[in-house]
Amino acid sequence: CVRACVCVCVCVCGPRQRGFFGAEEAETKGKGSVGWPSALFSLANMEDLTAKLGKVYPVGAVVGAISPEVASEIGLSSKEEAQDWKHSAGDVKVVCGGGDAFVGILGMAVADDGQIGLMTGSSNVVVGLQRNISERQRRMIQQNGVFGPFPDAVIPGFELLEAGQPSTGSMLSWFQRNFAPHSSFRELDLKAAEIPVGSGGLLVLDCFQGCRTPHIDSKARGVIIGLSLATRVEEIYRAMLESIAYGTRRALEGVQAGRHGGESKGVREVVVVGGATKSEIFMGIFADVLGVELVTLDSPNAAMLSAAVVASAGLRISGGNLAETSQKFVRVGRRYSPDKARHELYQTLYSNYLSIYPSLRTTMHNLVDNNTEKTS
């Protein structure tokens, strides 16, 4: 997160104006202040690093104006050449952004205590905001493979939590490429929709690229259990969709650790963006497994919308802070409500899913360690 923003701010503003997104690195937790972790640097005998890194800016802070060199490169006029151009390069301000998934919540209207966002794609990220996290809750959260809490990382006064699944859409792409190359995802969805809950007795462990939440384990591997000579391609595909939803539920429970017993029942709704929102069957499975209402947006690109939120709030164009501007900019799309009967069926299947990793962890590690052809 920090490296990406350093490059942007240094290149756009010039070497004298360095902008860093680093609120999550602050030593003063939840107090509205930002800074580098000097105590950590001291432990590593790197006390002088803080001075070299420069100032930390919060999200939405104006860090300077576009440099003449960048203005020339991208075709902005100088003041002397402005003429018909409304603004010269010196008038174009640079506003500090942040980490992709962090700032992305602003394009989802996830800007208040207890709100949850799910970003889907080749991997999935579950992000939540909380206030006043106790030390006991903090330990429980971190024991569940959740990154954070990061105080004031995006919105002052809130601590941000992030959990994730390394292989979701990428797992589906692998399956389609190798086992259904002549079928589109739309065709696979239509067939999967005809399969009952449980996918004909199949369970999949979605660790095709290791595990992030709750088990931080790069040696975890994907598993398909329940195959028989009667198993059909569409049953495996649906089992993979269900598996991803199970993994997302576990990530959500990790973010909720310390609240409501770590269960998803304390969550009113989850805002979902990304590729999965294009699939009705996938969204329905997510809702039924999670047991909460899912909300999609009418914007096709929440990440770009979040950049507009940050810029508008930072330049005081929107008339509100980051949270208020987020609420103004975001429009709700479709809602998916869980089916109570299907949710109950998924409860037992979810319990079985949770048992796979601890049962096979040693075997998976042995296979990775003994694999002469090392792969990621």
Side-chain angles (χ1 to χ4, degrees):
C1 298
V2 173
R3 181 173 64 244
C5 291
V6 169
C7 293
V8 170
C9 289
V10 170
C11 293
V12 173
C13 299
R16 295 185 181 179
Q17 187 73 337
R18 298 193 175 199
F20 296 83
F21 168 71
E24 75 272 26
E25 303 289 350
E27 286 186 272
T28 307
K29 297 180 179 179
K31 304 299 183 182
S33 58
V34 297
W36 297 108
S38 55
L40 176 62
F41 294 162
S42 295
L43 288 173
N45 296 318
M46 302 170 68
E47 294 87 348
D48 60 339
L49 186 57
T50 301
K52 295 178 180 179
L53 289 173
K55 182 180 178 180
V56 173
Y57 290 92
V59 173
V62 177
V63 299
I66 263 189
S67 68
E69 295 79 10
V70 171
S72 175
E73 185 174 337
I74 64 178
L76 286 179
S77 304
S78 65
K79 288 187 177 182
E80 293 75 16
E81 300 169 334
Q83 297 178 2
D84 297 331
W85 186 252
K86 187 175 180 181
H87 298 290
S88 67
D91 296 323
V92 179
K93 306 301 181 185
V94 177
V95 179
C96 186
D100 51 1
F102 282 23
V103 175
I105 65 174
L106 297 174
M108 303 167 68
V110 175
D112 202 357
D113 185 33
Q115 289 190 309
I116 301 288
L118 168 60
M119 304 172 189
T120 68
S122 57
S123 59
N124 281 6
V125 175
V126 176
V127 183
L129 293 176
Q130 292 185 25
R131 288 187 188 272
N132 304 319
I133 298 177
S134 68
E135 284 304 314
R136 182 188 68 84
Q137 290 173 319
R138 193 178 302 275
R139 288 193 296 271
M140 290 181 66
I141 289 165
Q142 292 169 348
Q143 288 169 2
N144 277 270
V146 176
F147 293 3
F150 301 113
D152 306 318
V154 179
I155 301 175
F158 290 99
E159 300 200 51
L160 187 144
L161 304 153
E162 180 184 310
Q165 300 163 266
S167 52
T168 52
S170 55
M171 182 176 78
L172 298 177
S173 294
W174 168 84
F175 175 81
Q176 189 265 352
R177 185 172 61 251
N178 287 283
F179 301 101
H182 303 299
S183 298
S184 66
F185 281 112
R186 173 62 178 166
E187 292 169 332
L188 288 171
D189 278 358
L190 291 173
K191 292 179 180 179
E194 298 175 357
I195 307 298
V197 168
S199 305
L202 296 180
L203 269 178
V204 175
L205 183 65
D206 54 315
C207 297
F208 280 56
Q209 195 169 241
C211 183
R212 175 176 170 185
T213 305
H215 314 289
I216 303 176
D217 185 357
S218 63
K219 294 182 180 180
R221 289 295 181 266
V223 177
I224 303 176
I225 296 177
L227 292 169
S228 75
L229 294 178
T231 299
R232 292 173 290 163
V233 168
E234 53 265 35
E235 290 175 325
I236 303 175
Y237 178 72
R238 180 179 176 111
M240 288 193 158
L241 296 179
E242 292 177 336
S243 168
I244 292 168
Y246 298 146
T248 298
R249 175 171 169 177
R250 187 61 187 89
L252 176 59
E253 291 172 350
V255 169
Q256 288 292 103
R259 300 180 69 169
H260 311 290
E263 298 179 5
S264 58
K265 65 182 180 182
V267 179
R268 299 185 301 274
E269 63 182 27
V270 174
V271 182
V272 188
V273 297
T277 61
K278 299 178 182 179
S279 169
E280 290 188 16
I281 177 64
F282 205 178
M283 291 298 293
I285 290 173
F286 270 123
D288 292 340
V289 171
L290 269 58
V292 300
E293 185 170 60
L294 305 183
V295 180
T296 62
L297 308 178
D298 68 353
S299 171
N301 195 320
M304 292 184 66
L305 185 59
S306 67
V309 170
V310 172
S312 182
L315 296 173
R316 304 185 185 279
I317 296 172
S318 64
N321 58 28
L322 288 170
E324 293 164 343
T325 304
S326 175
Q327 297 293 339
K328 288 180 180 180
F329 279 33
V330 176
R331 298 289 180 269
V332 171
R334 180 172 174 180
R335 293 179 179 271
Y336 293 83
S337 298
D339 179 88
K340 185 175 181 180
R342 288 195 293 269
H343 178 63
E344 288 302 317
L345 291 173
Y346 276 126
Q347 295 287 65
T348 300
L349 292 166
Y350 178 60
S351 296
N352 290 330
Y353 164 85
L354 293 178
S355 71
I356 298 174
Y357 173 83
S359 299
L360 296 178
R361 178 182 179 276
T362 300
T363 300
M364 290 189 289
H365 283 211
N366 287 339
L367 289 172
V368 172
D369 292 338
N370 295 325
N371 184 10
T372 57
E373 185 179 339
K374 298 295 182 180
T375 57
S376 58

